[in-house]
């Protein structure tokens, strides 16, 4: 039986994504000073106000703290906010970051008689499939690409009628075998300049959407819903408050795969919410890239303070050419799945995270935003699997 499946994305100017960008900017600042920094930074954004909270640990912490506000304002400026009620130069800034708890530190830190442990308990999932060249589910991939292209258009034109805040949503058609056949509906809502009409927006962005989609997938006018409320002039943190970590399905697989519940942004890579989710994607992508399966889900689970994962699970959903248990053993032999092993293998102790904060953590190209970025998208172990 055929079915429909929908995924959404949000732009870098969405209030929650503004907060993700700020939290990852703070993380990158700490890692640029000290590659073993511990950071758990949460951000709140609302009308002309940004608030930071969380815990950090690094040498010369006061020096780093003094650089946070300018870095945050620069991030908001890069996103494009210069509105009366949310402006990079004028918002009130409050920094409540504090030293990391010694009780958390003692569980994580390596010592003479103890390996470095996971920063928390939890479970993380990775996923890959053949729906796109990036080995991502098509609905979330093309939702991201539409918004990314609109952001490029906006930033290239100082007089653009587009604003920073936007959302997209694609409903895909699948046949009875779960193979994607095309797109049924597309929804795009974008903030715009005062006085721009719904028709103005439609004429501007329809060609962008058509260019992003594979040939033959563009929908009819009736199935393309552009700014369906009619007007979207008030956006960003002035239109709705934002918080770090509220777009975890947007960040991952658009609902096409399970999610362990942990957010990524603002967390240093000792926190397995982030690093193990990256490792799980890396493993799943390499399985599919190897040709051993058309679809793969990986689950990793950890206990706080314990180095080795408490479980590793591989599921090729009946599409595999071999035995899932054998794949599990091969993957564990190829990649050290302790927190330190993951960070070392993927090179995660670097200031590479601000570029992950919008348009998805997965389905990107390794190195696309600079050396070391999106290392978990590499397929360098695919040839070693059998």
């Amino acid at each position: 039986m055929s079915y429909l499946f929908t995924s959404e994305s949000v732009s870098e100017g969405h209030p929650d994504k503004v907060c993700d960008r700020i939290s990852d900017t703070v993380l990158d600042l700490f890692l640029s000073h000290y590659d073993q920094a511990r950071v758990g930074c949460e951000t709140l954004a609302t009308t002309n106000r940004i608030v930071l909270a969380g815990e950090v640990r690094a040498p010369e912490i006061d020096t780093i703290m003094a650089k946070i506000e300018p870095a945050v304002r620069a991030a908001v400026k890069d996103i494009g906010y210069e509105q009366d009620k949310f402006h990079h130069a004028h918002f009130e800034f409050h920094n409540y970051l504090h030293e990391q708890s010694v009780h958390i530190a003692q569980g994580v830190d390596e010592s003479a008689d103890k390996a470095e442990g996971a920063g928390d308990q939890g479970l993380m999932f990775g996923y890959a499939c053949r729906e796109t060249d990036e080995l991502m589910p098509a609905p979330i991939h093309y939702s991201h690409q539409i918004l990314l292209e609109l952001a490029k258009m906006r930033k290239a034109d100082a007089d653009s009628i587009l604003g920073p805040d936007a959302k997209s949503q694609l409903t895909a058609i699948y046949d009875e075998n779960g193979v994607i056949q095309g797109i049924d509906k597309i929804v795009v809502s974008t903030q715009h300049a005062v006085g721009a009409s719904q028709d103005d927006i439609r004429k501007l962005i329809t060609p962008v959407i058509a260019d992003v989609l594979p040939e033959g997938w563009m929908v009819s006018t009736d199935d393309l819903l552009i700014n369906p409320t009619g007007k979207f002039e008030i956006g960003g943190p002035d239109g709705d408050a934002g918080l770090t970590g509220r777009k975890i399905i947007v960040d991952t697989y658009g609902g096409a795969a399970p999610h362990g519940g942990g957010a990524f942004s603002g967390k240093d890579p000792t926190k397995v919410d982030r690093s193990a989710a990256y490792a799980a994607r890396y493993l799943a992508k390499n399985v599919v890239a190897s040709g051993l399966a058309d679809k793969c889900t990986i689950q990793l689970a950890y206990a706080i303070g314990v180095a080795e994962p408490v479980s590793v699970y591989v599921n090729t959903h009946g599409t595999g050419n071999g035995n899932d248990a054998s794949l599990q053993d091969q993957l564990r032999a190829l990649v050290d799945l302790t927190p330190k092993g993951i960070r070392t293998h993927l090179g995660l102790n670097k200031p590479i995270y601000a570029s992950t904060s919008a348009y998805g953590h997965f389905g990107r190209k390794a190195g696309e935003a600079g050396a070391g970025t999106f290392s978990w998208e590499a397929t360098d172990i695919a040839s070693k699997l059998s």
Side-chain angles (χ1 to χ4, degrees), residues 177-207:
N177 297 313
V179 178
I180 190 165
Q181 302 299 303
I183 303 298
D184 182 69
K185 293 283 192 303
I186 299 174
V187 184
V188 177
S189 296
T190 178
Q191 184 185 11
H192 57 81
V194 174
S197 70
Q198 192 176 28
D199 192 51
D200 292 335
I201 301 299
R202 176 179 284 273
K203 288 178 180 178
L204 181 65
I205 71 176
T206 297

Short mmCIF file of all heavy atoms in Angstrom, two decimals, residues 177-207:
data_model
loop_
_atom_site.label_atom_id
_atom_site.label_comp_id
_atom_site.label_asym_id
_atom_site.label_seq_id
_atom_site.Cartn_x
_atom_site.Cartn_y
_atom_site.Cartn_z
N ASN A 177 6.47 -0.63 -1.61
CA ASN A 177 7.76 -1.16 -1.20
C ASN A 177 8.61 -0.14 -0.45
O ASN A 177 9.79 -0.40 -0.16
CB ASN A 177 8.53 -1.65 -2.44
CG ASN A 177 7.81 -2.78 -3.14
OD1 ASN A 177 7.37 -3.74 -2.49
ND2 ASN A 177 7.68 -2.69 -4.46
N GLY A 178 8.02 1.01 -0.15
CA GLY A 178 8.75 2.05 0.56
C GLY A 178 9.72 2.82 -0.30
O GLY A 178 10.65 3.46 0.22
N VAL A 179 9.53 2.80 -1.61
CA VAL A 179 10.41 3.53 -2.53
C VAL A 179 9.75 4.86 -2.89
O VAL A 179 8.59 4.90 -3.29
CB VAL A 179 10.66 2.71 -3.81
CG1 VAL A 179 11.53 3.50 -4.78
CG2 VAL A 179 11.32 1.38 -3.45
N ILE A 180 10.50 5.95 -2.74
CA ILE A 180 9.94 7.27 -2.99
C ILE A 180 9.63 7.45 -4.48
O ILE A 180 10.40 7.06 -5.36
CB ILE A 180 10.88 8.37 -2.48
CG1 ILE A 180 10.19 9.74 -2.51
CG2 ILE A 180 12.20 8.38 -3.23
CD1 ILE A 180 10.90 10.81 -1.71
N GLN A 181 8.45 8.05 -4.75
CA GLN A 181 7.99 8.25 -6.13
C GLN A 181 7.94 9.72 -6.53
O GLN A 181 7.87 10.04 -7.71
CB GLN A 181 6.58 7.66 -6.28
CG GLN A 181 6.50 6.17 -5.96
CD GLN A 181 7.39 5.34 -6.87
OE1 GLN A 181 7.26 5.39 -8.09
NE2 GLN A 181 8.31 4.59 -6.27
N GLY A 182 7.96 10.61 -5.56
CA GLY A 182 7.87 12.04 -5.86
C GLY A 182 7.33 12.80 -4.66
O GLY A 182 7.32 12.31 -3.54
N ILE A 183 6.88 14.03 -4.92
CA ILE A 183 6.39 14.92 -3.86
C ILE A 183 4.91 15.20 -4.06
O ILE A 183 4.45 15.46 -5.19
CB ILE A 183 7.17 16.25 -3.86
CG1 ILE A 183 8.68 15.98 -3.70
CG2 ILE A 183 6.68 17.16 -2.74
CD1 ILE A 183 9.08 15.32 -2.43
N ASP A 184 4.16 15.16 -2.97
CA ASP A 184 2.72 15.42 -3.01
C ASP A 184 2.39 16.87 -2.66
O ASP A 184 1.58 17.51 -3.33
CB ASP A 184 1.99 14.49 -2.05
CG ASP A 184 0.49 14.66 -2.09
OD1 ASP A 184 -0.11 14.31 -3.11
OD2 ASP A 184 -0.08 15.16 -1.08
N LYS A 185 3.02 17.40 -1.61
CA LYS A 185 2.76 18.78 -1.16
C LYS A 185 4.07 19.41 -0.70
O LYS A 185 4.95 18.75 -0.15
CB LYS A 185 1.79 18.80 0.02
CG LYS A 185 0.36 18.36 -0.28
CD LYS A 185 -0.42 19.44 -1.00
CE LYS A 185 -1.91 19.12 -1.03
NZ LYS A 185 -2.25 17.82 -1.65
N ILE A 186 4.17 20.72 -0.91
CA ILE A 186 5.29 21.51 -0.39
C ILE A 186 4.71 22.73 0.31
O ILE A 186 3.83 23.40 -0.22
CB ILE A 186 6.23 21.97 -1.51
CG1 ILE A 186 6.83 20.76 -2.24
CG2 ILE A 186 7.34 22.86 -0.96
CD1 ILE A 186 7.66 21.13 -3.47
N VAL A 187 5.22 23.00 1.51
CA VAL A 187 4.82 24.19 2.27
C VAL A 187 6.07 25.00 2.58
O VAL A 187 7.05 24.45 3.09
CB VAL A 187 4.11 23.82 3.59
CG1 VAL A 187 3.62 25.09 4.30
CG2 VAL A 187 2.96 22.86 3.34
N VAL A 188 6.06 26.28 2.26
CA VAL A 188 7.15 27.18 2.63
C VAL A 188 6.56 28.45 3.21
O VAL A 188 5.70 29.09 2.58
CB VAL A 188 8.05 27.54 1.42
CG1 VAL A 188 9.13 28.53 1.86
CG2 VAL A 188 8.69 26.29 0.82
N SER A 189 7.00 28.77 4.42
CA SER A 189 6.61 30.03 5.06
C SER A 189 7.88 30.82 5.32
O SER A 189 8.79 30.32 5.99
CB SER A 189 5.87 29.77 6.38
OG SER A 189 4.65 29.10 6.15
N THR A 190 7.95 32.04 4.80
CA THR A 190 9.14 32.85 5.00
C THR A 190 8.78 34.26 5.44
O THR A 190 7.85 34.88 4.90
CB THR A 190 10.00 32.90 3.72
OG1 THR A 190 11.14 33.75 3.96
CG2 THR A 190 9.24 33.43 2.52
N GLN A 191 9.52 34.73 6.40
CA GLN A 191 9.41 36.13 6.82
C GLN A 191 9.74 37.03 5.63
O GLN A 191 10.56 36.68 4.78
CB GLN A 191 10.39 36.38 7.97
CG GLN A 191 10.34 37.76 8.58
CD GLN A 191 11.42 37.95 9.63
OE1 GLN A 191 12.33 37.14 9.75
NE2 GLN A 191 11.34 39.02 10.38
N HIS A 192 9.09 38.19 5.58
CA HIS A 192 9.30 39.07 4.42
C HIS A 192 9.22 40.54 4.84
O HIS A 192 8.76 40.88 5.93
CB HIS A 192 8.27 38.77 3.33
CG HIS A 192 6.85 38.89 3.78
ND1 HIS A 192 6.20 40.10 3.87
CD2 HIS A 192 5.96 37.94 4.18
CE1 HIS A 192 4.96 39.90 4.30
NE2 HIS A 192 4.79 38.60 4.49
N ALA A 193 9.65 41.38 3.94
CA ALA A 193 9.63 42.82 4.18
C ALA A 193 8.20 43.33 4.26
O ALA A 193 7.27 42.76 3.66
CB ALA A 193 10.37 43.53 3.06
N VAL A 194 8.02 44.41 5.01
CA VAL A 194 6.70 45.03 5.13
C VAL A 194 6.20 45.44 3.75
O VAL A 194 6.92 46.06 2.97
CB VAL A 194 6.78 46.27 6.05
CG1 VAL A 194 5.44 47.01 6.07
CG2 VAL A 194 7.17 45.86 7.47
N GLY A 195 4.99 45.04 3.44
CA GLY A 195 4.37 45.42 2.18
C GLY A 195 4.52 44.41 1.07
O GLY A 195 3.82 44.48 0.05
N ALA A 196 5.45 43.44 1.23
CA ALA A 196 5.59 42.40 0.19
C ALA A 196 4.35 41.50 0.22
O ALA A 196 3.89 41.10 1.27
CB ALA A 196 6.85 41.58 0.43
N SER A 197 3.84 41.20 -0.94
CA SER A 197 2.60 40.41 -1.03
C SER A 197 2.92 38.91 -1.08
O SER A 197 4.04 38.50 -1.39
CB SER A 197 1.80 40.80 -2.27
OG SER A 197 2.47 40.36 -3.44
N GLN A 198 1.88 38.13 -0.84
CA GLN A 198 2.01 36.68 -0.95
C GLN A 198 2.41 36.29 -2.36
O GLN A 198 3.23 35.39 -2.57
CB GLN A 198 0.68 36.04 -0.55
CG GLN A 198 0.73 34.54 -0.34
CD GLN A 198 -0.61 34.01 0.13
OE1 GLN A 198 -1.66 34.58 -0.16
NE2 GLN A 198 -0.58 32.91 0.86
N ASP A 199 1.88 37.00 -3.34
CA ASP A 199 2.20 36.72 -4.74
C ASP A 199 3.65 37.06 -5.05
O ASP A 199 4.33 36.35 -5.81
CB ASP A 199 1.26 37.49 -5.66
CG ASP A 199 1.35 37.03 -7.12
OD1 ASP A 199 1.25 35.80 -7.34
OD2 ASP A 199 1.54 37.88 -8.00
N ASP A 200 4.15 38.17 -4.46
CA ASP A 200 5.56 38.53 -4.62
C ASP A 200 6.47 37.40 -4.14
O ASP A 200 7.46 37.06 -4.79
CB ASP A 200 5.89 39.80 -3.84
CG ASP A 200 5.22 41.05 -4.38
OD1 ASP A 200 4.89 41.07 -5.59
OD2 ASP A 200 5.01 41.99 -3.60
N ILE A 201 6.14 36.86 -2.95
CA ILE A 201 6.95 35.80 -2.37
C ILE A 201 6.88 34.55 -3.24
O ILE A 201 7.89 33.90 -3.53
CB ILE A 201 6.48 35.48 -0.94
CG1 ILE A 201 6.56 36.72 -0.05
CG2 ILE A 201 7.31 34.35 -0.34
CD1 ILE A 201 7.93 37.29 0.11
N ARG A 202 5.69 34.21 -3.70
CA ARG A 202 5.52 33.01 -4.53
C ARG A 202 6.36 33.10 -5.80
O ARG A 202 7.04 32.15 -6.18
CB ARG A 202 4.04 32.81 -4.88
CG ARG A 202 3.77 31.64 -5.81
CD ARG A 202 2.30 31.48 -6.08
NE ARG A 202 1.59 30.88 -4.97
CZ ARG A 202 1.46 29.56 -4.79
NH1 ARG A 202 1.99 28.71 -5.66
NH2 ARG A 202 0.79 29.10 -3.76
N LYS A 203 6.30 34.25 -6.48
CA LYS A 203 7.05 34.42 -7.72
C LYS A 203 8.56 34.33 -7.49
O LYS A 203 9.30 33.82 -8.34
CB LYS A 203 6.71 35.76 -8.37
CG LYS A 203 5.31 35.82 -8.97
CD LYS A 203 5.03 37.19 -9.55
CE LYS A 203 3.63 37.26 -10.16
NZ LYS A 203 3.33 38.62 -10.69
N LEU A 204 9.01 34.80 -6.33
CA LEU A 204 10.44 34.82 -6.04
C LEU A 204 10.97 33.43 -5.71
O LEU A 204 12.05 33.03 -6.19
CB LEU A 204 10.71 35.77 -4.86
CG LEU A 204 12.16 35.93 -4.43
CD1 LEU A 204 12.98 36.58 -5.54
CD2 LEU A 204 12.25 36.75 -3.14
N ILE A 205 10.23 32.67 -4.92
CA ILE A 205 10.81 31.44 -4.40
C ILE A 205 10.40 30.17 -5.17
O ILE A 205 11.07 29.14 -5.03
CB ILE A 205 10.51 31.26 -2.90
CG1 ILE A 205 9.05 30.92 -2.64
CG2 ILE A 205 10.93 32.49 -2.12
CD1 ILE A 205 8.77 30.64 -1.16
N THR A 206 9.37 30.23 -5.98
CA THR A 206 8.97 29.04 -6.73
C THR A 206 10.09 28.50 -7.62
O THR A 206 10.34 27.29 -7.64
CB THR A 206 7.71 29.32 -7.56
OG1 THR A 206 6.62 29.63 -6.68
CG2 THR A 206 7.33 28.11 -8.39
N PRO A 207 10.81 29.36 -8.37
CA PRO A 207 11.91 28.82 -9.19
C PRO A 207 13.02 28.19 -8.35
O PRO A 207 13.65 27.23 -8.79
CB PRO A 207 12.43 30.06 -9.94
CG PRO A 207 11.32 31.05 -9.89
CD PRO A 207 10.62 30.80 -8.59
#
